[in-house]
């Protein structure tokens, strides 16, 4: 009988997340479509924005082409590499009954969902650093004024976008529809959260509303932190809105995430 | 060996899908069962009887609508982290990423499992060593079941849940699986399984329960369940012999020229029948007498509650070896046997 050994040798949270994360990374590296979304789309979109950014009227905003483009690239990383990619990951794992099978094992729900997101988050983080450094070099950008705000912004974005991806996966029944489900959120984020066009350039009334979109506080913190244009009240507002989205979406996932295919 | 410790305890278990009232569906309708340590418990039933719905509750995947479950003394749903390290589960339908290889899948599972056996040992155990570098999507159905089984036993669980472990396997796979299950049982593992293969259940199970329409309609040792069932004799009457001429002491049901006797006393009834046939000079075509088997018990219990429609099966009742014994229950509510 093995009862005597029960108390010993319990596998740790770290071991579980590592094992799952490693498997997930292997799967990411084997999927050409995912790799394209994760590695190339953010870069392609950033390059495509070069021309329009040059033509923006930035007078009086405190921004430059560099502080428009480089933070935008972070936005693209969060939208493509994290959000859009993870919707597909969660749907695929659910529809293949992988999540159901994993839940019969020792990993808890939080470990399962974060391990699924882990490789994409790490890739996104590395990409963000490369884009920031590379972009800054190419565009002759000065170092960020408030590096801490940039970091907080990126971290909030990673958590929020992963959780929103998990939540969105609920609405896709197949891996095919998983490609359509992210589109509304992607469009709203690119247009309304200051990725394509900084909120500073939008009409005030519209900008006020757009500040409450999920990715907006992230972009504000990254762009404003870099350019040094963000002041006390605005920082606090961005942090509160960003935190609210991050916490709210995580709680929503706990409540509404779908673990099994609709029968 | 006596088994005093109850490893699985279930009382008043119910599981309902969908909203309350007509729109919903109650798949499990008040089940009680107990499994002692080291026992092999087989849960049998027609398709749609509620076996998988029940097993998923025992595995702790879902919360019961009503009732109480204790696995190793804990609630498998609420106290997941206390129960999971001591149980192994094979779902009816697998679920491993199709782009990982067998070895990668096993390595991943080892990282999730306390006191995991080495992955090579596990693959050897289920005969998949030669397929270790093959992607899961390229495995046959039977090989996938083998992988699934290997991972279920990786942590040397005290309690093993197997939902139709041999479905989709060829004869060799089934034999291997049962051998492994038998070995684990000999080492003290408690096993709860569902299966379509009644002969195997009859041979291996210490206890079994037959489910029908969400309820347990018979339970006990295989011998006990079978003992409550009548033996039967079947034959075809010649066209010129009227059924009324059959001996009155025989409980015969006649349909056309086909006659069937159901009896608790096979030898006695057969003697009467054969004596009568001999005296009357009647030749009984297609004569077939058999004592009760689990198969018979199963069919008869399923028939008692409602009418069943055999879908695509043979007409002679030799369905024990049919791979997908397909039954469909009628729409009316079942009657408790």
């Amino acid at each position: 009988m093995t009862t005597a050994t029960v108390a010993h040798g319990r596998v740790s949270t770290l071991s579980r997340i590592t094992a799952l994360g490693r498997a997930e990374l292997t799967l990411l590296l084997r999927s050409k479509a995912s790799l394209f979304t994760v590695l190339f789309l953010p870069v392609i979109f950033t390059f495509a924005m070069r021309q329009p950014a040059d033509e923006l009227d930035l007078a009086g905003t405190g921004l430059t082409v560099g502080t428009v483009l480089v933070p935008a690239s972070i936005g693209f990383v969060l939208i493509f590499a994290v959000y859009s990619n993870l919707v597909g990951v969660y749907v695929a794992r659910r529809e293949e009954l992988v999540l159901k099978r994993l839940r019969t094992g020792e990993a808890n729900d939080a470990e399962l969902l974060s391990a699924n997101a882990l490789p994409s988050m790490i890739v996104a983080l590395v990409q963000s650093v490369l884009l920031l450094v590379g972009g800054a070099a190419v565009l002759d950008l000065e170092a960020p004024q408030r590096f801490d705000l940039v970091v907080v912004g990126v971290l909030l974005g990673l958590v929020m976008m992963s959780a929103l991806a998990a939540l969105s996966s609920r609405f896709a029944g197949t891996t095919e529809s998983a490609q359509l489900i992210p589109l509304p959120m992607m469009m709203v984020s690119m247009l309304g959260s200051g990725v394509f066009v900084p909120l500073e350039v939008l009409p005030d009334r519209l900008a006020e509303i757009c500040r409450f979109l999920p990715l907006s506080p992230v972009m504000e913190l990254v762009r404003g932190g870099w350019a040094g244009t963000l002041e006390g009240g605005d920082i606090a507002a961005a942090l509160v809105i960003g935190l609210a989205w991050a916490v709210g979406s995580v709680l929503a996932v706990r409540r509404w995430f779908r673990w099994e295919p609709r029968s | 060996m006596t088994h005093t410790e109850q490893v699985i305890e279930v009382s008043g278990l119910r599981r309902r899908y969908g909203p309350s009232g007509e729109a919903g569906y109650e798949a499990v309708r008040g089940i009680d069962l107990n499994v002692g340590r080291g026992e092999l418990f087989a849960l049998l039933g027609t398709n749609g009887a509620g076996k998988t719905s029940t097993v998923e509750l025992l595995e702790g995947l879902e919360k019961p609508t009503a009732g109480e479950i204790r696995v190793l003394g804990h609630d498998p749903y609420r106290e997941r982290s206390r129960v999971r390290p001591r149980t192994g589960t094979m779902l009816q339908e697998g679920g491993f990423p199709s782009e990982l290889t067998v070895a990668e899948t096993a390595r991943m599972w080892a990282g999730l499992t306390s006191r995991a056996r080495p992955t090579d040992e596990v693959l050897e155990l289920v005969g998949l060593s030669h397929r270790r570098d093959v992607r899961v999507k390229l495995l046959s159905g039977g090989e996938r079941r083998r992988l699934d089984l290997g991972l279920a036993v990786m942590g040397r669980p005290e309690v093993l849940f197997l939902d139709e472990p041999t479905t989709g396997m060829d004869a060799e796979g089934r034999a291997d699986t049962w051998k492994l299950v038998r070995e684990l049982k000999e080492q003290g593992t408690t096993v709860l399984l569902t299966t379509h293969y009644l002969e195997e259940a009859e041979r291996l199970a210490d206890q079994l329960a037959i489910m029908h329409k969400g309820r347990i309609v018979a339970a006990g040792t295989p011998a006990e369940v079978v003992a409550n069932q009548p033996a039967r004799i079947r034959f075809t009457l010649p066209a010129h012999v009227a059924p009324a001429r059959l001996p009155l002491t025989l409980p015969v049901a006649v349909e056309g020229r086909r006659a069937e006797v159901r009896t608790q006393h096979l030898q006695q009834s057969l003697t009467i029948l054969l004596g009568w046939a001999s005296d009357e000079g009647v030749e009984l075509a297609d004569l077939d007498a058999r004592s009760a088997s689990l198969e018979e018990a199963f069919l008869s219990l399923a028939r008692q509650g409602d009418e069943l429609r055999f879908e695509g099966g043979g007409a002679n009742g030799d369905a024990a070896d049919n791979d997908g014994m397909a039954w469909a229950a009628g729409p009316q509510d079942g009657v408790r046997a």
Side-chain angles (χ1 to χ4, degrees), chain A residues 1-3 5-6 8-11 15-16 19-20 22-23 26-27 30 96-98 100-109 112 260, chain B residues 37 56 61-62 80-81 84-86 89 91 93-100 104 107-109 111-115 135 148 152 158 188:
Chain A
M1 217 69 72
T2 54
T3 33
T5 61
V6 164
H8 307 292
R10 281 286 296 275
V11 74
S15 155
R16 292 193 289 256
L20 287 166
R22 181 178 173 184
T26 308
L27 290 167
R30 279 182 193 159
E96 279 195 324
L97 295 171
V98 174
K100 183 175 183 179
R101 187 66 176 81
L102 286 171
R103 285 183 110 203
T104 68
E106 292 178 43
N108 64 38
D109 291 352
L112 290 176
E260 290 181 34
Chain B
R37 185 173 286 281
E56 285 185 357
L61 282 175
E62 292 292 338
R80 184 166 153 184
S81 62
R84 291 291 200 280
R86 301 167 68 187
T89 294
L91 298 173
E93 227 183 312
F96 296 107
S98 49
E99 296 293 341
L100 289 183
E104 286 163 350
R107 199 186 310 130
M108 170 188 80
W109 198 261
L112 303 177
T113 306
S114 299
R115 306 173 311 279
R135 298 219 182 151
D148 209 338
E158 289 171 63

Side-chain angles (χ1 to χ4, degrees), chain B residues 49-113:
Chain B
K51 300 186 299 289
T52 295
S53 294
T54 303
V55 174
E56 285 185 357
L57 296 179
L58 304 188
E59 292 160 354
L61 282 175
E62 292 292 338
K63 195 167 62 181
T65 313
E68 185 99 1
I69 304 174
R70 286 276 172 275
V71 173
L72 296 159
H74 300 285
D75 181 327
Y77 183 80
R78 283 200 210 89
E79 298 174 275
R80 184 166 153 184
S81 62
R82 306 190 71 148
V83 178
R84 291 291 200 280
R86 301 167 68 187
T87 59
T89 294
M90 183 175 173
L91 298 173
Q92 187 173 78
E93 227 183 312
F96 296 107
S98 49
E99 296 293 341
L100 289 183
T101 67
V102 169
E104 286 163 350
T105 307
R107 199 186 310 130
M108 170 188 80
W109 198 261
L112 303 177
T113 306

Side-chain angles (χ1 to χ4, degrees), chain A:
Chain A
M1 217 69 72
T2 54
T3 33
T5 61
V6 164
H8 307 292
R10 281 286 296 275
V11 74
S12 66
T13 293
L14 184 66
S15 155
R16 292 193 289 256
I17 291 192
T18 311
L20 287 166
R22 181 178 173 184
E24 203 57 60
L25 180 64
T26 308
L27 290 167
L28 173 63
L29 295 176
R30 279 182 193 159
S31 165
K32 288 196 182 71
S34 299
L35 280 180
F36 182 76
T37 305
V38 168
L39 297 180
F40 292 108
L41 282 183
V43 179
I44 292 169
F45 271 73
T46 306
F47 270 98
M49 271 200 44
R50 177 72 210 256
Q51 185 71 24
D54 278 339
E55 288 163 15
L56 279 177
D57 179 15
L58 295 171
T61 61
L63 297 173
T64 62
V65 171
T67 48
V68 168
L69 265 189
V70 173
S73 69
I74 304 270
F76 290 128
V77 167
L78 291 171
I79 289 169
F80 290 111
V82 181
Y83 176 72
S84 169
N85 175 50
L86 281 181
V87 173
V89 167
Y90 286 124
V91 171
R93 302 295 169 267
R94 181 189 70 216
E95 295 300 315
E96 279 195 324
L97 295 171
V98 174
L99 292 176
K100 183 175 183 179
R101 187 66 176 81
L102 286 171
R103 285 183 110 203
T104 68
E106 292 178 43
N108 64 38
D109 291 352
E111 289 166 1
L112 290 176
L113 293 183
S114 34
N116 276 335
L118 198 60
S120 303
M121 287 169 94
I122 291 174
V123 169
L125 208 55
V126 171
Q127 240 176 331
S128 300
V129 172
L130 290 178
L131 281 167
L132 289 179
V133 174
V138 171
L139 295 166
D140 204 15
L141 204 57
E142 280 178 24
Q145 303 289 314
R146 291 284 307 271
F147 191 63
D148 53 340
L149 293 182
V150 176
V151 171
V152 168
V154 170
L155 292 180
L156 273 178
L158 286 174
V159 172
M160 174 196 304
M161 285 293 134
S162 303
L164 287 174
L167 209 55
S168 304
S169 72
R170 187 186 170 83
F171 303 101
T174 61
T175 39
E176 281 77 37
S177 57
Q179 295 175 335
L180 296 176
I181 292 297
L183 289 180
M185 166 78 185
M186 290 164 70
M187 297 312 291
V188 166
S189 295
M190 287 192 225
L191 294 172
S193 290
V195 180
F196 276 157
V197 181
L199 291 187
E200 286 85 340
V201 183
L202 291 181
D204 286 349
R205 285 270 289 284
L206 190 58
E208 271 315 304
I209 299 168
C210 287
R211 284 181 76 181
F212 291 96
L213 293 171
L215 204 58
S216 300
V218 173
M219 294 308 297
E220 267 189 272
L221 288 168
V222 173
R223 183 170 282 138
W226 196 298
T229 53
L230 220 50
E231 282 156 20
D234 290 339
I235 295 175
L239 285 174
V240 167
I241 296 170
L243 216 54
W245 274 106
V247 173
S249 51
V250 168
L251 290 177
V253 168
R254 281 180 59 139
R255 175 85 175 73
W256 285 298
F257 187 75
R258 199 140 58 79
W259 291 93
E260 290 181 34
R262 215 184 283 276
S263 52

Side-chain angles (χ1 to χ4, degrees), chain B residues 21-181:
Chain B
E22 286 295 305
Y25 172 67
E26 193 170 37
V28 182
R29 305 177 175 195
I31 275 187
D32 306 299
L33 63 86
N34 287 297
V35 184
R37 185 173 286 281
E39 277 183 355
L40 194 151
F41 188 101
L43 197 56
L44 312 174
T46 47
N47 283 344
K51 300 186 299 289
T52 295
S53 294
T54 303
V55 174
E56 285 185 357
L57 296 179
L58 304 188
E59 292 160 354
L61 282 175
E62 292 292 338
K63 195 167 62 181
T65 313
E68 185 99 1
I69 304 174
R70 286 276 172 275
V71 173
L72 296 159
H74 300 285
D75 181 327
Y77 183 80
R78 283 200 210 89
E79 298 174 275
R80 184 166 153 184
S81 62
R82 306 190 71 148
V83 178
R84 291 291 200 280
R86 301 167 68 187
T87 59
T89 294
M90 183 175 173
L91 298 173
Q92 187 173 78
E93 227 183 312
F96 296 107
S98 49
E99 296 293 341
L100 289 183
T101 67
V102 169
E104 286 163 350
T105 307
R107 199 186 310 130
M108 170 188 80
W109 198 261
L112 303 177
T113 306
S114 299
R115 306 173 311 279
R117 301 176 195 236
T119 56
D120 287 342
E121 182 188 320
V122 167
L123 296 183
E124 184 71 43
L125 206 59
V126 292
L128 277 181
S129 298
H130 64 296
R131 304 284 275 165
R132 52 173 297 124
D133 295 320
V134 174
R135 298 219 182 151
V136 168
K137 68 175 174 188
L138 297 176
L139 295 180
S140 72
E143 285 173 329
R144 255 176 244 197
R145 293 309 271 162
R146 285 171 183 259
L147 175 62
D148 209 338
L149 178 65
L151 303 193
V153 305
M154 186 176 249
R156 301 179 190 278
E158 289 171 63
V159 182
L160 187 57
F161 295 106
L162 304 172
D163 197 354
E164 292 187 17
T166 52
T167 299
M169 283 184 174
D170 58 15
E172 191 195 355
R174 280 168 54 199
D176 288 352
T177 299
W178 287 111
K179 182 165 167 285
L180 177 59
V181 169

